[in-house]
Every structure is written in C-alpha cells, then in structure tokens.
Amino acid sequence: MTQPPPGQGPIDPRGVFSPPPAPGASPGGMAPPPGYFGQPMPMMMPQPGFMMPPPRGRGVGFAIFMTLIVVVLAVSILLNFMLLFSAGLKGGRDTQQETVIENGDPTNRIAVVSLDGVIMEQAAERFHKLLKSVEDDSTIRALVVEIDSPGGSVTASDEIYHDLLRFKSRPGKTMPVVIAQKSLAASGGYYVSCAGDFIVAEPTTLTGNIGVLFERFNVSRMFDKWGIEETTIKSTHSPFKNAESMFKPETPEANAYLQTIVDDAYGQFSGVVKAGRATATNPLKGKVEDVANGKIYTADQAFKAGLIDLIDYPDKAYAVAATRAGLTGSKPTVVRIKEMPGLLQDLLGAKSGIGTSGGESISTGGNHIEYNGVKIDASTLNDLLRPQLMYLWDGR
C-alpha cells in the first residue's frame, strides 16, 4: 500500500469512489446552513507584463486605417472652408470669363459683351467693369455690344452711353464699336445703341420706343375713402417739395412742374438719337421728332426710318467690326467676355421656390428674384419701386 506523503494522514479508500458532494454542500457532506452560498470564486489577476489580446477583426491595421480616414476628412473640410473664405473675400468683385465664339488670329481679337435686362445702376457698373477689361487687352481691335433690353433708368442708360463714347475715342487708340440688337433694344436699349458706329438688328428685333416715363400712382381717393390723411410737413419756402406725393390729390401746378422735367429728359434722348444717326451708314430719313414718338418698331420699320444700319444676325456684326477695324489680312478671333459671380455667392445663395395655383413660380437666390424664369436683381427691383425718370419700354 502506497504511503501518504509526509505530514498527511492515511487516505480513506471509501471516499475514492464516493460521488461528488451536491452543489453548496459542506466538505463533510452536511447541508449548508440557510443563507450560505458557498465560497466566492477567487478573482484572477493578470500577471505583471500581461496584455489583453485585441478584439478579433479590429487590430492595429484597422486603427491606423480609421485614423487616416479622419485625418483626410479633416484636411478636406479645412481646405474647402479656406476656398469658400477666399471666395467670400472676392465676392464683391465679379470675375470674368472668356469664351471663344470664332477661332482665328489670337493677336487680333474682337470682343463681344452683352447688355441684358433692365438697365439700372448695377447693370451700368457691371458694364463699366467689362469695358475696362477690354480696354486693358492689347489684342482686342474692335468691340461688339449685344443688346437685349427694354431700357431702364435715364441715368444708368446715359452712363453706359457715355462709357462707350469714351471707349471708342480714347487718345491714340480709337476702336470701332458695333451694336448687335437681339430680341429687344427699346428705349434705354436704343439710347445705348446710338453710341455705336454701326447698328445691326435681327429680323425679329423690336427697337426704338424713344421717349421718357415718370411713373406715378395716386391713391389719394382710396385714402379719402378710408379716412386716411397725409400730414407730411415741408419747408415753408419749398411748395413743390412734396409735389410728387401719391397720397395727396394732383394739382395743375405740380403736373406742369413735373412735365418740364420729363420733357428735358426727352430732349436729351432725341439729341442723342440725332447725333448718333447723323454720321450713320443709314441715317434718319426725316426729322428726329417723326420717329421719337414713343413707338416701338420692327427691324424693317426701323431700317426704313433710318434707326438701324442693317438687318442681319450677330455673326454679321462680327464681320462688320472686323472690317471697320481693318482686320482684312487674317480672320480675327471672336471672344465673348462675361462676368462670373463669386464662388461664395454662387454656393451659399439660398434658393426657395413658391408655386402658385396659376402655374406661376417665384424663387429667390442670392441677390436676385426669379419670376417665371425672368431674373430681376434685388437692387434693380428696389430701383424700379422708387420714383425716377425712365427710358423704359413698359410694354403693358
């Protein structure tokens, strides 16, 4: 019989084949007292220097990959923010873009600029910037101005007219200016046309409408009905200070006073027409008063009256400009120069649409209002709502 190790008593062979005690039983086989739950399991403490294994599927490579993704996204966001911020700094200055219309000699070029929409202060400013860029380009030999406008304010139309006169008669650098009238070159649009050396109208162009408007609305009768009275106070020695008020009844004296202002503006317009057509290829056929009667004319009627020089399309206007610039040796390059809005304005301009039951749509975006596809600059709308003299075809 095997001897037990030193210090240990003899082994009872009866316990070798005994079944294991029931869970929770005491070593002696006795049932545990109530409330006894046995000895707690000893807590396994990690040995010094022991490292827990990484979770399956997310090793060191995964951590590096996610770090790279975060870094790339952060850099991308930062770069985009810097681009937007940079564009925002330049948002007040429109950039310009050139588009080639006809390929030719790059050292002899014809510039094409457009005058579209209602001619108000901002339109005059934009046109001035385009004209300045043409002046600074030594390769440009002639200018074609494409006009598609119902006219606009007296002052803005006259500013563009003056800009063109100055442009084509610069000391030591004369340059021909040809006008290409599109669908509409009325009132202020025709006023600007008179600064050109040659006017080409398309067969479907409407032009002329030589005259002046000073739009007013009088609501004094409605105010009387509602019991509303205007109480504006004016200085004692300026009885005409409030003569144009829409809230008070009209008087013969006020109307006569305002009529003199409108007639002076008409005299300015008719003088521009007379001067512009005096040296034209197809001059006026009669007195300026015969055509400066506020009528809108078709291209055929305008040609017969001597208001335009040719009925044709823009490509003919480019050819006329090349001939007048003396570019007969080689075909010039024709480029369109236009303004491009700043990136920040283009990207961040909020746009919302409002539909009406009649199928009409209005949307606002950035600095303009769009009504059924026609864009109206917000500042232009403000200009139109204040009383002022207009070289404008109402068309209503």
Side-chain angles (χ1 to χ4, degrees), residues 127-138:
F127 191 85
H128 180 79
K129 292 177 184 178
L130 290 174
L131 212 57
K132 188 69 173 71
S133 68
V134 173
E135 288 183 12
D136 295 338
D137 193 328
S138 60

Side-chain angles (χ1 to χ4, degrees), residues 75-89 343:
V75 171
S76 176
I77 293 172
L78 179 61
L79 288 176
N80 278 281
F81 178 81
M82 291 175 65
L83 285 172
L84 289 173
F85 181 75
S86 175
L89 292 177
L343 178 63

